[in-house]
Amino acid sequence: MTTSQHSRTNSRTAVQKASLAVGAVFLLVGLLGFVPGITSQYDQLAFAGHHSGALLLGLFQVSVLHNVVHLLFGVAGILLARSASGARSYLLVGGIIYLVLWIYGLVIDQESAGNFVPLNAADNWLHLLLGVGMIALALVLGKKHTARV
């Protein structure tokens, strides 16, 4: 590792590191959604809609669209981690998006065309945890950054 790479790594704020970590996890999840075996019933993977029978880790209903959204969300987290304000925004706005998605998953009929992502009960619980967790990271770690500036 060169000196400039080393200092760049050490100069990242906690909120930037959190954004990088969350983004990397989303990238990994997006990729794993396309891996047979890790995604059970892979032969039932549809582009979108509630008819996709594929289950990531045998639990979370996924589709091609769902996986692509995870990949894009991961790339956004990594790119926005370049700055503390970008990282905080990613975590805060991303958390809000996941809370909206949680509410959406609660109110739609899971067997209707409105469930185009698709979402199941396990997805809904995960979206609640992600939303709360991402917002908490943004507020707690982002506050530390703004206090230092």
Side-chain angles (χ1 to χ4, degrees):
M1 181 180 290
T2 67
T3 305
S4 64
Q5 288 173 326
H6 184 68
S7 63
R8 187 174 33 209
T9 302
N10 288 339
S11 67
R12 284 192 185 118
T13 64
V15 74
Q16 286 175 285
K17 291 175 185 176
S19 179
L20 275 172
V22 171
V25 169
F26 274 110
L27 270 178
L28 179 63
V29 167
L31 290 172
L32 292 177
F34 291 112
V35 177
I38 294 175
T39 299
S40 60
Q41 302 172 26
Y42 188 80
D43 58 327
Q44 296 178 30
L45 183 70
F47 177 75
H50 67 282
H51 295 295
S52 184
L55 298 170
L56 179 62
L57 304 174
L59 190 59
F60 304 102
Q61 190 175 11
V62 292
S63 65
V64 172
L65 175 62
H66 204 152
N67 293 335
V68 168
V69 168
H70 286 144
L71 290 169
L72 293 173
F73 213 78
V75 169
I78 291 168
L79 291 177
L80 288 167
R82 290 177 167 173
S83 72
S85 62
R88 183 180 186 280
S89 295
Y90 167 75
L91 292 168
L92 184 61
V93 173
I96 292 168
I97 290 169
Y98 270 95
L99 289 180
V100 168
L101 194 55
W102 167 64
I103 292 168
Y104 177 75
L106 293 177
V107 299
I108 62 160
D109 177 1
Q110 290 184 353
E111 296 301 317
S112 73
N115 189 11
F116 63 92
V117 175
L119 305 170
N120 63 12
D123 289 308
N124 289 338
W125 283 107
L126 181 61
H127 293 157
L128 172 62
L129 293 174
L130 284 170
V132 170
M134 290 174 73
I135 290 170
L137 286 170
L139 296 177
V140 171
L141 300 179
K143 183 183 291 186
K144 290 178 184 177
H145 170 71
T146 49
R148 283 195 317 218
V149 174

